[in-house]
Amino acid sequence: MGQLTHAQLLNLAGYSLEGNPHSALYNHLETDSRKADSECVFFALPGVSSNGWDYLDKVVELGCKVAVVPSQLNLHRDDIELVSVANPAKLLVDCLHGFFGRMPQNMVAVTGTNGKSSICFYIAQLAKYLGFSSGLVGTFGIGPLDSLSEAKQTTPDLLSLHLTLMHMAESGVDFVAFEASSHALDQGRIEGVPFQTAVFSNLSRDHLDYHGDMNSYALAKRRLFAFESLSHSILCLDDSYAGFMAEGASGSACHTYSSQNPNADFYAKQLVLEPTGCRFVLCHPEGESSVFLPLLGRFNVQNALAALASLWYGVGDKATLVSGLSTLSGAPGRMDKVLLPNAPLVVVDFAHTSDALEVALQALKEHTNGRLICVFGCGGDRDRGKRPLMMAAAMKNADYVWLTSDNPRTESIEQIFSDVLVQTNDDEAFSFEPDRRVAIRQAILSSGPNDVVLIAGKGHETYQDIQGVKHHFNDKEEALRALEAYVN
């Protein structure tokens, strides 16, 4: 990585350099006060529970000589030089990009309630198929597609994110598919990332414990489409919020995709669901192409079209791009099949909202010859209002439901069950079993060989969060154990 002189810092901040002979050289930039030292510039950024400027005493103790602070605070100190600017985050990004590294050449950001993780995974696969060295930033991990590191959160903090992207570029990654969460957008954690393309999948109730209402949630998502670097915005025409997102995309060309709407720029027709995937005719701006997509569910057709559309305007070889659809593998924990001979088909999926659960169940219903059984729970310390909605979606679309735990966190499972069952009659076809391992086992062992069992809510996760402790738990592992017991 590079270095930044004091003069360069002041120049980027818009200060006059006359009469300021200070020639200090800074080797790194910091937003974490605990990492400050005499060789860094500390950027005091706003936070969720506390703000960077609350820790100026701490950075002075650690030897830091200069801090960038918001000018609107009108701060004054004698023990540290303060560089006051309207937007410290922007100055941080300018310093990083100007002196500490370069970003990957191609970056696509995907936002939405459901599907964004899968879309990113498909984008990275298609980019690799086209010859790019591709990578991911999101739920499934961070880094090159073939060597992902575990993501502690969907989007890192602003400084860590930019340094990570620069490291990816330095290691040869030239195409990144980026999962843009509403929290990261609202908190400014992806400011200054030069995305060329942004994708909107859909919007349904989620994260209202943070955003408060759907309008605030939608506005957070729409911030992505106002990025000055964007050339193209890709919007799902099947979602009612597509127009709302388009209103915020005045600086980029808008294109649409749909699972079946012929008014979209990209859509599917003559869709046939087969045991191993979906066959359809892809309609695109240059004509039509026959496609076999080796993924389950109509919604995966929609996700694959989003991935295709996000790459369409940046590549010349459209035929190779289309042929790449037939090579896609399913995203971890997204309609993830667990199969043994002479046993029910078990599918693990991350669906953790009522809309996602309904979509997953309806998709599997078209692949089911026997009964469709659903195992699900609701997370603790999260939006309580969606709990009865999830139960309603499960009861409406499955033949039998097993209600169980799903990361109860610090909340009691009894309270969660009470919320889930508030609108459910006692005579309906469901059972509840607090132990998720037992619920999965009983659901599978009580099924017939032609049945399909959906285990929803955790997907790729490998833990259960109970009273602040994360215990190892993997739905696929538990499903496989139960299937082995079933056939033996």
Side-chain angles (χ1 to χ4, degrees), residues 60-321:
V60 170
E61 288 178 14
L62 294 172
C64 185
K65 303 291 194 301
V66 61
V68 178
V69 297
S71 54
Q72 56 268 36
L73 297 179
N74 199 28
L75 295 176
H76 300 281
R77 294 184 70 113
D78 296 327
D79 54 357
I80 187 170
E81 180 177 352
L82 299 181
V83 177
S84 297
V85 295
N87 189 345
K90 182 180 184 304
L91 180 57
L92 171 61
V93 170
D94 290 344
C95 289
L96 284 168
H97 292 191
F99 301 98
F100 288 89
R102 67 178 182 87
M103 305 293 271
Q105 295 179 347
N106 306 280
M107 285 191 282
V108 177
V110 182
T111 197
T113 305
N114 301 310
K116 58 184 179 291
S117 301
S118 294
I119 293 170
C120 284
F121 193 63
Y122 302 154
I123 289 171
Q125 288 184 68
L126 288 175
K128 181 180 178 182
Y129 186 77
L130 289 166
F132 293 100
S133 174
S134 64
L136 278 177
V137 175
T139 303
F140 298 140
I142 295 176
L145 183 60
D146 296 331
S147 56
L148 293 171
S149 300
E150 182 180 357
K152 293 183 174 60
Q153 57 188 133
T154 303
T155 313
D157 65 88
L158 180 67
L159 177 58
S160 298
L161 171 62
H162 282 263
L163 292 176
T164 295
L165 289 169
M166 289 175 180
H167 178 72
M168 289 171 69
E170 192 176 283
S171 65
V173 173
D174 51 15
F175 196 108
V176 174
F178 189 103
E179 192 174 335
S181 71
S182 60
H183 291 73
L185 286 160
D186 185 64
Q187 295 165 13
R189 282 190 270 136
I190 59 176
E191 183 166 335
V193 179
F195 300 115
Q196 291 84 42
T197 303
V199 179
F200 169 68
S201 61
N202 52 65
L203 199 75
S204 61
R205 180 176 179 137
D206 202 12
H207 303 308
L208 296 195
D209 53 318
Y210 174 86
H211 294 288
D213 56 62
M214 285 297 295
N215 187 60
S216 299
Y217 181 34
L219 285 169
K221 294 288 191 186
R222 193 167 74 171
R223 290 183 182 183
L224 176 61
F225 299 93
F227 274 48
E228 293 181 358
S229 58
L230 289 184
S231 299
H232 300 279
S233 292
I234 312 297
L235 309 170
C236 179
L237 198 59
D238 298 330
D239 192 85
S240 61
Y241 279 91
F244 183 82
M245 299 299 160
E247 290 172 4
S250 58
S252 60
C254 287
H255 316 281
T256 57
Y257 69 95
S258 166
S259 58
Q260 59 185 4
N261 190 333
N263 294 316
D265 298 310
F266 301 85
Y267 67 95
K269 66 179 185 180
Q270 299 175 23
L271 175 61
V272 178
L273 298 179
E274 300 182 359
T276 56
C278 305
R279 195 175 300 277
F280 59 92
V281 174
L282 167 66
C283 300
H284 51 73
E286 294 190 2
E288 298 182 354
S289 305
S290 296
V291 171
F292 176 75
L293 183 71
L295 304 171
L296 293 177
R298 294 175 183 266
F299 65 87
N300 261 325
V301 174
Q302 190 178 72
N303 291 340
L305 292 184
L308 177 97
S310 73
L311 289 158
W312 187 268
Y313 300 97
V315 301
D317 189 352
K318 304 295 194 293
T320 299
L321 173 59

